[in-house]
Amino acid sequence: MFRSKGHKLLFTFILSFFVQHFFSQQFILSGKITGNGESLPFATIYLKGTTKGVNSNDEGSYSLKLDPGKHIIVFQYVGYSKQEKEIDLKENKTLNINLKSDGIALEEIVVKAGEDPAYPIMRKAIKKRKQFSNEVNEYSCQSYIKGLQRLTNIPEKFKKLVKMMSGEKIDSTLYGVIYLSESESNYYFKKPNKQKEIMFSSRVSGESKSFSFNQLSQIKFNFYENLVPIRGLSDRPLVSPLNKNAFIYYKFRLLGTIIEDGKTFNKIAVIPKRKTDPCFSGIIYIQENSWRLTGIDLKLNKENKIKFVDTLSIKQLFAPVAGDSIWMPVNHNFSFTFNFLGISGDGYFNAIVKNYNLVPKLADNFFSNEVFVVEDGANKKDSNYWNINRPVLLTSEENKDYRKKDSSEKIQDTDRYKDSMDRRTNRLRPVNIFLGYTYCKTKNRISVVTPGLITAGIQYNTVEGVNISYDFSINKEYENLKAHRVNGRVRYGFSNYLWGGEVGYNYFYNPKKFSRVGVKFKSITEQYNQMDPISPLVNSLYSLYLNENYMKMFKETGVETNYFTELTNGVYFSSIARYVERDPLKNTSDRLIIDDRSKLFTSNDPRNGSTHDSLFNTNNSLTAEITFSFRFKQKYYTLPNQKIVTGSKYPRLSVSYKKAFPVLNTTADYDLASAMIYDEVNLGLLGRLGFRLKGGGFVNTKKLYFMDFKYFLGNQTLFNTNDYLSSFRLLPYYTFSADKWFAEAHAEHHFNGFIINKIPVLKKLKVQEVVGGHLLMSNKLKQYYEINFGIENIFNVLRFDYVLGYGIDNRVNSGFTIGINTRL
């Protein structure tokens, strides 16, 4: 009996083993997707009734793992008719699919006199836009994203320039794939706009210590919204074809209807009425009766004033995830081409989305200001993991890139290789004398940077005469992103024979808190307004050619310590303490290139240009300043060893207090309190509005020297080199500096081409309009106003303003300024 029972147990074990083995085994369905004889990249292949599936790769090949048995597989590609194939999978199987173009499957559409049949379809779709936008209150899903960029051409002239400057030929690895990454993430969303993405696996070709920045939230464009922002590539949001005012911007044409699974889908051409409007062109698919979006194939080009790329293509494919009542995107494809100075290339980001859960039951505190997380160890997954979990086959090009770069990385990560490369790159070449020199000790993460004759600061002012300012830096970094940095400057004036210099050290010790501590020693000339409103180059030109020596200077010698950290998310603290001696300086040079005999150089006394008597006697000052800054509900990314701030929809506020202590042989004695609030507001198609409000006053003025006054960013030249949202264009540099109280307000609106793009001739120039207003009030100037009207994005970098000012001697002043775009 014991033997019989033992046999039964053995038989049961063997039977269960084979059953488990058979049913746990998976087979591979693979093949190639083509359409009209051409490979179809990023076609969607999925198991019917689920979101389990894969994409074809860039060559049209696919591979799908399935359990044994019968399955219905759906093959789909935007612009082609869907196919379904029933298979009985008992072993690995090859199945090639040739999809038919919609043009073949379309029922013939006859357009009679009157409006195109697309218009009543679009009216119904637009009417139901909000319903579909709001039908899912929350959900979670999983995404796989692959990103690739490649270079296809580098001009010979550019190659020769690189060789001349570096002494090295352009490596062949710069051709073809220059960036390849894969990632997997869990994505969570809740109305109205709460989201969080957690990346749990990441791979970057040739950079095993790096993390991919592929994010579903960055390519998950919602065309049910009126406007579709594409941050970084377009200053203007794009008008969705389902915008409530779509008929103002678009023409529509019904190309035909497709019948699949007993449902009718309308294929509609989307055509912008004006080429320079922020509009898409291409095709959308609308399901009959429900009037929902089921597919998108839209494009942008240079005429749409996108930046950095020449063309941009967005494709989305939707599929039902809850019966037929709710459709969600299961594939996003974002591809582009670019050409800059003959350097051309292309790239894409392709996302497969699966495992939708429309009732994720998330905890109340799940969503926070942390919107993106890269898990520790996300970049530690090996190639076997990716071979098992990757839903898109690698192309031969991608396989080659992984093999080559991963093998090269192992070699490049050795000390021997790093030393050999340093010996080559650290060689001093003739070009370094003019453009500067960088010394690297790669294995120790040390670099030393020095300027060349051209990049060194050679200027002229009437205090020092011709002077040279020679900057240098020494950096030591660690893998955990901590760093030591030394920055220094040596300065010499050839007219007053005055040597000067400064050297500062900063230790960045907590990247997740942006924490740093530093010290600086100095004995060098400084502008009275230490925000440096006057560019040394501009001052040199005005002094030598126009007899206008605007820059006024004194010598400062002493020591400074500084500290900065984030106390909690969005709350920052900084402090600066200085102990310095301030010495007066006088003009020692009257050198000119063009002598305007109707003008004389003014003295180095900012308050009295006709006397060369010193404004002040040598004095010492001990000051301490603390600042608290607030970014309310600041959004951020969390990476291992790093935090990246992405912004906030609320204004930023900072509060400062500065105290001068009359101790240790110092005489300055004052207290200054100030505050500032600023923000930039996106107004959609109307552009963006930026504003900055400042105010404060001296609580105590027992002993206040002129360099301790509250200064403002003024300008008396044609060139505006200051921040547009903090400065005045026509205000004298020193005349109205405050010694009691002050208040200033700045606002600028960037229309991003909203007006000019509607003017036939001007819109071809691709420039944009800007208007601003500025106000200053203080105990020295009751009220001062400026209004500026400008054109920016001239040749992509320049800005030109016409400015009106009122408040000085009750007169209206006017002038023009030229500057650099503050936002490229």
Side-chain angles (χ1 to χ4, degrees), residues 103-136:
I104 298 172
L106 292 177
E107 292 186 353
E108 185 178 358
I109 299 297
V110 178
V111 180
K112 299 179 181 179
E115 69 176 6
D116 190 281
Y119 283 86
I121 297 172
M122 290 305 302
R123 289 191 191 98
K124 294 171 184 176
I126 292 170
K127 188 176 181 180
K128 298 194 71 174
R129 175 183 63 84
K130 282 189 177 181
Q131 175 187 325
F132 292 129
S133 181
N134 296 322
E135 68 179 348
V136 177

Side-chain angles (χ1 to χ4, degrees), residues 443-469:
K443 69 180 180 183
N444 300 119
R445 293 176 172 261
I446 295 174
S447 65
V448 180
V449 180
T450 59
L453 294 177
I454 294 176
T455 54
I458 302 176
Q459 298 111 19
Y460 173 82
N461 61 66
T462 54
V463 173
E464 300 169 293
V466 175
N467 61 86
I468 183 168
S469 184

Side-chain angles (χ1 to χ4, degrees), residues 62 64 119 150 449 534 726:
Y62 75 94
L64 176 62
Y119 283 86
R150 61 169 72 88
V449 180
I534 311 168
S726 298

